[in-house]
């Protein structure tokens, strides 16, 4: 008899722990300090025309969480635009520095390096290429080549 009731208690406890675990997981995507959860696109994303990016400058694609710099004509470098401090998306680029609106970190848009804290980890580089006249960031599509 007592065995049955303690088993029930355990089950109830497990259900509660499960619910609590879910809450923590959902929260950590917003506020997990130190590591962005999904810092780079996991599938190719089309950004726009390459000439939107000034030569020697950079452009922020907030929606896609990517920034692209153009060190020289026809050359592009892309980085995650998600702050490596707590995962906010950068809000603007000033003087070739990406600005994080949450706690003021700054990143070099040509290297991804953290120039000003609290972030210390550089923005991860993202593959970028021009396809059909559009910049495409993220991993190559895995369609077999004909
Ligand atoms: S999230 Fe804290 S500085 Fe960017």
């Amino acid at each position: 008899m007592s065995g049955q009731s303690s088993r029930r208690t355990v089950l109830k406890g497990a259900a509660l722990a499960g619910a609590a675990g879910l809450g923590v997981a959902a929260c950590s995507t917003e506020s997990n300090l130190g590591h962005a959860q999904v810092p780079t696109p996991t599938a190719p994303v089309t950004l726009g025309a390459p000439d939107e990016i000034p030569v020697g400058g950079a452009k922020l694609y907030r929606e896609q969480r990517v920034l692209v710099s153009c060190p020289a004509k026809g050359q592009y470098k892309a980085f995650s635009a998600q702050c490596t401090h707590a995962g906010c998306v950068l809000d603007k680029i000033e003087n070739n520095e990406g600005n994080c609106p949450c706690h003021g970190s700054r990143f070099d848009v040509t290297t991804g390096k953290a120039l000003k804290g609290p972030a210390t980890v550089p923005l991860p580089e993202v593959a970028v290429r021009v396809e059909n006249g559009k910049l495409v960031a993220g991993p190559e599509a895995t369609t077999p080549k004909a």
Side-chain angles (χ1 to χ4, degrees):
M1 199 63 179
S2 69
Q4 199 177 19
S5 80
S6 69
R7 180 158 178 263
R8 205 172 274 158
T9 308
V10 169
L11 283 176
K12 197 174 161 200
L16 281 175
L22 270 181
V24 169
C27 187
S28 69
T29 57
E30 297 294 328
S31 64
N32 187 13
L33 291 182
H35 297 282
Q37 292 291 303
V38 187
T40 58
T42 51
V45 288
T46 302
L47 301 175
D51 59 10
E52 287 175 1
I53 300 163
V55 176
K59 182 169 162 64
L60 182 63
Y61 297 89
R62 275 203 99 194
E63 212 168 291
Q64 292 87 348
R65 298 187 183 195
V66 175
L67 70 82
V68 181
S69 67
C70 176
K73 194 167 168 36
Q75 287 178 23
Y76 302 99
K77 281 189 101 172
F79 298 91
S80 161
Q82 188 167 358
C83 182
T84 56
H85 174 232
C88 293
V89 180
L90 306 185
D91 69 340
K92 60 187 170 191
I93 294 172
E94 288 173 340
N95 303 324
N96 278 355
E97 293 178 13
N99 179 69
C100 179
C102 289
H103 314 98
S105 289
R106 289 268 180 157
F107 298 89
D108 185 325
V109 297
T110 60
T111 62
K113 191 168 178 261
L115 300 170
K116 182 168 172 280
T120 54
V121 178
L123 297 173
E125 190 163 355
V126 178
V128 68
R129 60 203 168 274
V130 179
E131 266 175 25
N132 302 321
K134 295 259 198 272
L135 282 167
V136 178
E140 300 264 357
T142 49
T143 45
K145 290 205 163 69

